[in-house]
Amino acid sequence: MSKLHFTSPDGLTIDLRLPEHPTDAVPEYRSTISPRKTPNQHNERAYPLQLPSLPAHASCRFGNPTPVGLGGFLLANTPATIMLLGWHGAGGRNGNESAAIGTFFYLGCLLEILCGIGEWINGETFNAAVFLILGGYFGAAGAVMVPFYNAISGYGTDATAAEAMYHDSYAMLLIFMGVLLLFFTIASVRLDICHVVLFACFTVCFPCLATSYFYMADGNEATARTFRIWGGIFSLAGSVILWYLFLGSLLEAVDFPYLLPVGDLSTYVKGRTEYLGRRRHKTSMSCGL
């Protein structure tokens, strides 16, 4: 038997015994690890080798909140879209969304905000901004339909004039929601085709709904209905894409063997850090550094 002896700087010694000649049998390898003896030590103690510890995220990690947010948005927005379109008498054929108050509060608002907080904890800034802002919008949209908030009566005792002023005022929120969705559309160019088309659909939807409210304030019901229908069409198109993304997020969550393609654009639209890194590298090469 050959013997190998190693001594580490911290005082640990390792002895390995190996067979001198190779055999067909499995050789016996024995190793002992003992600390370097000091004058106060008389007994040699053996210390087993320790396995590497698992990373912290392997034992404690948060789930992906995105499917929750997508599901809440879909259950709040899709029925409301059907009410805008007036299918089978939904919405009283005039776009009334009073039946969606509960879904706006508890599915659109509550779940979106919870999902946004989860995305923020996971460090997903863009997703957190989208879900939190949309959750706030659903809460605001549901609140103005609750009589307790006195949204229309606050404009005066004349019902007709108060309703017209309310429609003109509420249209302003829809206009700036369209601006917000336009910014989301621009930012999503770094993500994938599905998100670009999704945000683009809602970017068109909100101005159509705002125009519908303006015509309602003017008493032009026919034109208001036309723009409301167009707003519902773009909202429905965005909902279809959202249902597709929702299914894809569920398949990814259960580690499904096949994932739905979304048209990744990150390889075509480079990030700023990557662009600056390449630019800095080219500058260094040109200077001969």
Side-chain angles (χ1 to χ4, degrees), residues 32-110:
T32 60
I33 302 178
S34 59
R36 179 182 296 173
K37 288 185 178 181
T38 62
N40 295 329
Q41 288 178 319
H42 301 283
N43 297 325
E44 183 176 359
R45 294 180 297 173
Y47 290 85
L49 291 173
Q50 296 182 355
L51 296 176
S53 58
L54 295 175
H57 63 80
S59 58
C60 180
R61 55 182 295 185
F62 294 99
N64 182 14
T66 303
V68 177
L70 293 179
F73 185 94
L74 286 169
L75 292 178
N77 182 74
T78 308
T81 300
I82 302 302
M83 297 175 195
L84 289 176
L85 296 174
W87 290 357
H88 204 272
R93 302 188 185 277
N94 60 358
N96 191 319
E97 297 175 331
S98 298
I101 294 177
T103 58
F104 280 3
F105 277 135
Y106 299 107
L107 294 173
C109 178
L110 179 61

